[in-house]
Amino acid sequence: MTAGGAVACAALLLPLLSAGPSATAERAPADSLQGTFAAAAAEYGVPKSVLLGVSYLQSRWDAHGGAASVTGGYGPMHLTDARTAIAEAPHHSHGAEDARGDDARPARSVVEAALPDPGELPPRLRTLERAAEVSGIDADRLRDSVAANVRGGAALLAQAQRELGGPAGADPEDWYGAVARYSGADDVATATTYADDVFDVIRTGQSRTTDSGQRVELEPDPAVSPDRTQVRRLGLRTADTGRTECPPTVACEWIPAPYEEFGAGDYGNHDQANRPASQSVDYIVVHDTEASWDTTLQLVQNPQYVSWQYSLRSSDGHIAQHVPLEDVAWHAGNWFVNAKSVGLEHEGFLVSPDAWYTEAMYRTSARLVRYLAKRYDIPLDRQHILGHDNVPGTTTATIRGMHTDPGPYWDWAHYFKLLGRPFTPSAGPDSSVVTIRPEYTRHQPLYTGCVKAGEACAPHGSGAVRLHTAPSESAPLVKDIGLRPGGQDSTTGVNDTGARASTGQQYAVAERRGDWTAIWYLGQKAWFHDPRTQPVAVGARERVLTPKDTLAEVPVYGRAYPEASAYPAGVPVQAVSPLPYKLLAGQKYVVGDRVPGEYLYATTFDTAGHKVVRGEEMYYEIQFGHRVAFVKASDVRVLS
């Protein structure tokens, strides 16, 4: 959990089809979800395509079993009732890492943010209350009944249309302003981007099976062309774009993090740099927060706190940039990764790990990542697009404190589909490398500790696969000696990453037995159930590495630092400290980048003394466990 340094806690989803249903499709039964949308649209005079489009952008028509989203939104229409969600949600955090992750400086840790006072919640987090007023439907029913929730959303759209003086009726082009109002955005650019996304869904059409097994279809209307000037009638502010570095397809605001000196030589909350001239930007790190939007912005503007480059708002996908891309933010808990990465914080103050994210935020996040990847030539794969939970500890002592966000419920498969890089097979089912890819909605492994330690979490789709010591569900989970130096087994805890492989991650196959596949993981064989009839992994064609023939084992590192002889006078030598794991002879791991040892020395407010130390020693990044790691190129040989 965390957020780059801030706050954090929170697969193959059934594929989205761009083609709509055929003209001969049968009329949906009235008691189906498709029929529910049709009935609510007719009742409130809202075009059915508009109602379906708005719901898709909020929830992709899922009900999430009545669970609230990360911002307290309920049901397919994401009607927000953050007061109730806050009252019902457990508040817990995980991890005590140093956000900077730099041994040369005192630790800068993340503090747990307080939940907001329910009385101070903005209107965008209280739309269920408004829906109850305009529809006359009881608030409990709006939360718990899918049909009531859809009706409540339709009532809100109809009310917005009336307030804007727009005509009722079935022409979706007349509803652009009402759709923009539904977003809850307080600025013109975000409301416009949200409405544009809804009408893009209407133009292209969508079809999918929801988490409750309902098939919902929105026929494409490629000719729809709404009047985008309607948004001017909303009376919204114009956000300050300032020094933002964002693609034109998102709404981006400049809310800078401070670079200030305070105390006895201390300063915050990031380091000024000159990337990519000084160092390449190789990673994008996905975090989620444990604070409200307002609290998140207050934290990142505190010079004594930590920092990240971007924050993303869940309800409407709005983006705020805080740190210029050329500078180094303190967010990942690993200084080597911080110096070469961009950190994205995704809003979520409700820390129940089974809370969910809106499609609006997934989409704007994916657009931002595509933009950053193109700008810095970052490959769109899971060794470069990391979750905070994939960033390694820097030393043995830091492993246990590393954060675990965005966790097993982040939908990596859907995210990468939006990135334009879906996880598809590149080799046959008997390949020597696999890409983890369970079907998100149907894959619901048991997790515990969402509310209380040891108690089962509510069933929920997951992109993570659990790993055993033998090909049996009753076999113990594999051990992570970094997390548990005493050698205890890993657990089903939602924050326990010790026996977990995540969607998109790639591993070398160690063995196969019937419906079980073993991969090399943390220096051992790790088994997962992988039946041919419902596989959770697909074949991949990737390079792997193994120890050189003369070596029985090689050390594994959490950072790729230079050799001692590379450091100039005045720059303290940083220890090349191995982690407690070993890569043993005969084992293989998928290869990522080949990189030189690098260290950014930046311990003073005056940047004149900052230096990038670059050594001769080369390293390979590997997918070693749930987290990535590094090995010295001189210790291994690479195999095709």
Side-chain angles (χ1 to χ4, degrees), residues 379-401:
L380 290 172
D381 60 40
R382 288 300 317 281
Q383 288 196 335
H384 296 87
I385 312 302
L386 303 173
H388 195 171
D389 54 352
N390 306 135
V391 176
T394 54
T395 64
T396 297
T398 65
I399 292 174
R400 300 185 71 183

Side-chain angles (χ1 to χ4, degrees), residues 110-481:
V110 176
V111 297
E112 184 173 322
L115 291 174
D117 183 335
E120 299 175 354
L121 294 170
R124 69 182 179 86
L125 299 181
R126 295 184 284 112
T127 62
L128 188 141
E129 175 185 318
R130 178 65 172 153
E133 293 174 0
V134 299
S135 70
I137 302 172
D138 181 75
D140 287 338
R141 290 189 61 221
L142 289 172
R143 282 190 294 269
D144 301 334
S145 165
V146 170
N149 187 274
V150 172
R151 290 180 62 215
L156 280 182
L157 281 166
Q159 178 68 13
Q161 183 75 338
R162 286 192 295 271
E163 291 174 349
L164 293 171
D171 188 349
E173 294 186 350
D174 296 330
W175 288 75
Y176 187 91
V179 170
R181 169 70 56 83
Y182 193 94
S183 71
D186 64 351
D187 71 280
V188 173
T190 304
T192 300
T193 300
Y194 179 92
D196 284 345
D197 278 350
V198 169
F199 278 88
D200 181 63
V201 170
I202 294 171
R203 269 188 291 271
T204 59
Q206 292 291 345
S207 176
R208 70 180 295 266
T209 300
T210 70
D211 60 358
S212 60
Q214 294 268 353
R215 189 70 182 174
V216 179
E217 297 175 330
L218 169 58
E219 295 185 43
D221 184 1
V224 67
S225 181
D227 177 8
R228 299 173 77 246
T229 65
Q230 294 175 20
V231 78
R232 297 173 187 169
R233 289 183 266 164
L234 300 179
L236 304 177
R237 69 184 177 94
T238 299
D240 177 13
T241 56
R243 297 178 60 189
T244 55
E245 299 159 285
C246 293
T249 54
V250 303
C252 207
E253 182 173 11
W254 179 245
I255 303 178
Y259 188 70
E260 296 179 10
E261 191 170 22
F262 55 86
D266 203 356
Y267 66 97
N269 58 11
H270 59 280
D271 279 293
Q272 292 186 343
N274 186 30
R275 305 186 306 177
S278 58
Q279 285 188 283
S280 61
V281 178
D282 298 330
Y283 309 103
I284 298 170
V285 183
V286 172
H287 307 259
D288 68 12
T289 71
E290 279 183 12
S292 68
W293 179 254
D294 291 341
T295 300
T296 297
L297 299 186
Q298 290 169 9
L299 289 171
V300 79
Q301 293 178 88
N302 180 352
Q304 299 187 52
Y305 199 59
V306 296
S307 60
W308 50 97
Q309 273 81 9
Y310 299 93
S311 296
L312 293 94
R313 194 162 64 199
S314 181
S315 59
D316 53 21
H318 179 67
I319 298 173
Q321 183 175 357
H322 313 297
V323 177
L325 292 172
E326 66 181 3
D327 294 340
V328 176
W330 304 341
H331 62 97
N334 182 314
W335 184 241
F336 178 82
V337 174
N338 278 343
K340 300 171 73 66
S341 71
V342 176
L344 276 59
E345 287 287 354
H346 297 78
E347 179 193 17
F349 58 79
L350 302 181
V351 295
S352 300
D354 61 345
W356 50 280
Y357 297 91
T358 65
E359 179 70 358
M361 184 163 68
Y362 271 127
R363 288 192 171 211
T364 56
S365 180
R367 288 176 191 146
L368 178 59
V369 168
R370 283 202 307 268
Y371 164 83
L372 295 170
K374 182 177 181 180
R375 177 167 175 161
Y376 294 113
D377 196 25
I378 300 173
L380 290 172
D381 60 40
R382 288 300 317 281
Q383 288 196 335
H384 296 87
I385 312 302
L386 303 173
H388 195 171
D389 54 352
N390 306 135
V391 176
T394 54
T395 64
T396 297
T398 65
I399 292 174
R400 300 185 71 183
M402 294 300 289
H403 285 246
T404 61
D405 58 300
Y409 301 123
W410 180 266
D411 193 347
W412 285 108
H414 180 55
Y415 195 54
F416 268 75
K417 186 161 188 176
L418 293 172
L419 288 173
R421 292 291 187 275
F423 301 121
T424 56
S426 57
D430 296 319
S431 61
S432 59
V433 173
V434 292
T435 301
I436 303 299
R437 198 192 72 171
E439 188 175 300
Y440 182 93
T441 304
R442 289 197 296 179
H443 181 67
Q444 299 186 359
L446 170 69
Y447 289 102
T448 56
C450 293
V451 177
K452 186 177 179 181
E455 288 188 0
C457 302
H460 196 286
S462 173
V465 171
R466 188 157 290 133
L467 304 171
H468 296 263
T469 56
S472 169
E473 295 286 359
S474 61
L477 299 179
V478 297
K479 304 177 190 296
D480 184 334
I481 59 172

Side-chain angles (χ1 to χ4, degrees), residues 495-511:
N495 288 311
D496 189 341
T497 62
R500 184 181 299 171
S502 183
T503 291
Q505 292 179 328
Q506 296 181 314
Y507 300 90
V509 174
E511 187 179 350

Side-chain angles (χ1 to χ4, degrees), residues 28-44 48 51-52 76-77 145-152 154 214 216:
D31 60 349
S32 69
L33 184 54
Q34 186 86 45
T36 295
F37 278 108
E43 179 181 0
Y44 289 98
K48 184 173 67 172
L51 187 61
L52 283 165
M77 298 304 298
S145 165
V146 170
N149 187 274
V150 172
R151 290 180 62 215
Q214 294 268 353
V216 179

Side-chain angles (χ1 to χ4, degrees), residues 5-82:
V7 285
C9 89
L12 183 62
L13 198 56
L14 293 172
L16 302 173
L17 306 177
S18 59
S22 69
T24 58
E26 295 182 5
R27 183 180 298 274
D31 60 349
S32 69
L33 184 54
Q34 186 86 45
T36 295
F37 278 108
E43 179 181 0
Y44 289 98
V46 179
K48 184 173 67 172
S49 62
V50 169
L51 187 61
L52 283 165
V54 167
S55 178
Y56 185 87
L57 198 64
Q58 293 290 354
S59 67
R60 288 198 294 155
W61 306 321
D62 285 337
H64 294 276
S69 76
V70 294
T71 45
Y74 291 85
M77 298 304 298
H78 193 249
L79 299 178
T80 54
D81 182 12

